[in-house]
Amino acid sequence: MNLPLTQEWDKIFPQSNKVDHRKVTFKNRYGITLAADLYTPKNARGKLPAIAVSGPFGAVKEQSSGLYAQTLAERGFITLAFDGSFTGESGGEPRNMASPDINTEDFSAAVDFLGSLDNVNRDEIGILGICGWGGFALNAAISDTRIKAVATSTMYDMTRVNAKGYNDSVDADARYKMKQEMNNNRWEASKNGYATLSPRNNLTADQINSETPKFMADYSEFYTTKRGFHPRAANSNPNGSWATTAMISMVNMPILQYAAEMRAPVLMVHGEKAHSRYFSEDAFKALGSKNKELYIVPGAYHTDLYDNTTGKIPFDKFEQFFKANLK
């Protein structure tokens, strides 16, 4: 599949003069063509360690994952920020669909691509997932033994939050009603190739008031303003977000079921004040890795780790982790 890729710089962050950048494509094992930005340290020589980056869930590579990838490339890694299947510039129909299996596979396909490059040491490949893609990154590293180190930032388990709600507040009866609603949506969605989109999933500034939860206001402030808006991101789209049937498998097919069998080194980073902090804390406890660390960023909220507006992304910590474990 030949994807139409935007060649001009359209990221939410400035381009670095310390790295070389180019657009690339590669396929996953389901035949979906993924679009990505490849960042390489300028004047790099020999084979280097590499890191594949994606997330947040509903974002695109022009947002947080690109910032992480470019910054880590400045620090000596070859990095790949990619759009997951069905989103951004990547292929896959219908658009804005999600799958715990395919999204996990996307990370392994990114490893396939990085390992095919002449300037990458295929024995030194790691991955980094942000927000919901943090959960998929952990899931991929449990499954794919080629992944030598995995890091997450402000991690969400999308299967847990979809099935159980925040703080596991949804019981079996409420979950059944939710499944009824999602599956009844299939009647109309199927007439439209399952391409029907749910309404926008972030509030506008005029909809926020004193009773709005802070994390919802924070999401809005990132995705709907100049700070983080990008027209290809499902979370920024004012006309619709995810496909109406996108979360069906998220409710019924939980990831991280074999967390105890994780052997790769793990770094999990989360904000002290993030509403989502419990996702990282619980996953960290479940992981079987002997080399694992949970690093809590003082004073940071969830979206503080989406970009570096508040200067709270601990890039030094990520650099040290990957340099220690990709060798």
Side-chain angles (χ1 to χ4, degrees):
M1 182 178 181
N2 293 319
L3 301 176
L5 302 179
T6 302
Q7 294 302 323
E8 65 267 19
W9 188 264
D10 63 346
K11 324 296 186 193
I12 68 168
F13 51 91
Q15 187 169 12
S16 171
N17 60 9
K18 298 178 181 179
V19 304
D20 294 319
H21 161 265
R22 65 184 174 97
K23 287 285 187 73
V24 298
T25 61
F26 55 95
K27 283 187 177 182
N28 67 18
R29 65 186 174 91
Y30 292 103
I32 299 171
T33 303
L34 304 184
D37 289 296
L38 183 68
Y39 298 91
T40 307
K42 281 192 180 294
N43 304 314
R45 297 182 181 180
K47 290 183 178 291
L48 298 180
I51 306 166
V53 189
S54 197
F57 189 75
V60 289
K61 62 190 181 304
E62 288 74 23
Q63 296 168 310
S64 306
S65 60
L67 171 65
Y68 276 70
Q70 179 176 262
T71 304
L72 288 170
E74 291 177 333
R75 295 167 181 242
F77 303 93
I78 292 175
T79 61
L80 184 77
F82 66 89
D83 287 332
S85 294
F86 311 107
T87 66
E89 291 186 304
S90 288
E93 296 289 342
R95 303 304 297 164
N96 295 3
M97 191 57 71
S99 163
D101 182 23
I102 295 175
N103 294 148
T104 297
E105 157 63 19
D106 288 341
F107 265 117
S108 287
V111 172
D112 293 338
F113 174 79
L114 287 170
S116 73
L117 301 178
D118 291 339
N119 56 352
V120 167
N121 186 334
R122 63 168 48 181
D123 293 323
E124 299 178 356
I125 299 176
I127 62 175
L128 191 160
I130 306 162
C131 187
W133 282 83
F136 299 135
L138 293 176
N139 209 43
I142 295 166
S143 171
D144 191 337
T145 58
R146 303 170 305 165
I147 295 169
K148 302 306 181 185
V150 54
T152 65
S153 182
T154 200
M155 173 263 190
Y156 253 62
D157 179 341
M158 294 306 303
T159 58
R160 179 179 177 181
V161 75
N162 273 283
K164 300 181 178 181
Y166 285 107
N167 298 304
D168 299 340
S169 59
V170 173
D171 63 15
D173 289 338
R175 187 159 46 252
Y176 185 79
K177 291 179 181 179
M178 179 172 58
K179 288 188 286 187
Q180 281 183 309
E181 180 179 352
M182 288 193 297
N183 284 291
N184 284 333
N185 285 338
R186 294 184 68 126
W187 297 121
E188 288 301 317
S190 64
K191 299 176 183 178
N192 189 34
Y194 304 100
T196 307
L197 298 181
S198 298
R200 67 181 304 159
N201 62 2
N202 278 302
L203 300 174
T204 54
D206 61 298
Q207 295 174 310
I208 297 172
N209 56 47
S210 59
E211 296 182 358
T212 303
K214 177 174 171 49
F215 75 93
M216 293 180 66
D218 287 347
Y219 281 139
S220 174
E221 201 277 327
F222 181 79
Y223 284 111
T224 70
T225 72
K226 184 178 179 181
R227 174 186 165 192
F229 175 85
H230 197 281
R232 288 194 293 274
N235 290 347
S236 291
N237 185 357
N239 301 314
S241 56
W242 291 97
T244 56
T245 61
M247 302 306 157
I248 290 175
S249 58
M250 293 289 184
V251 172
N252 204 47
M253 299 178 185
I255 58 175
L256 307 182
Q257 293 304 290
Y258 291 95
E261 297 183 12
M262 171 80 85
R263 297 191 183 185
V266 181
L267 170 65
M268 303 188 72
V269 173
H270 221 108
E272 177 191 14
K273 297 184 177 181
H275 70 285
S276 52
R277 177 174 165 177
Y278 71 98
F279 288 120
S280 283
E281 291 176 332
D282 289 354
F284 179 79
K285 293 173 186 175
L287 293 173
S289 300
K290 294 181 180 179
N291 178 357
K292 63 178 183 177
E293 180 181 0
L294 175 62
Y295 181 77
I296 302 299
V297 181
Y301 290 92
H302 184 84
T303 57
D304 285 338
L305 304 186
Y306 277 15
D307 61 10
N308 227 10
T309 303
T310 60
K312 287 186 165 62
I313 300 177
F315 283 121
D316 289 346
K317 190 74 176 177
F318 287 112
E319 176 187 358
Q320 292 162 8
F321 169 75
F322 282 116
K323 284 187 173 177
N325 293 288
L326 298 181
K327 60 182 182 179

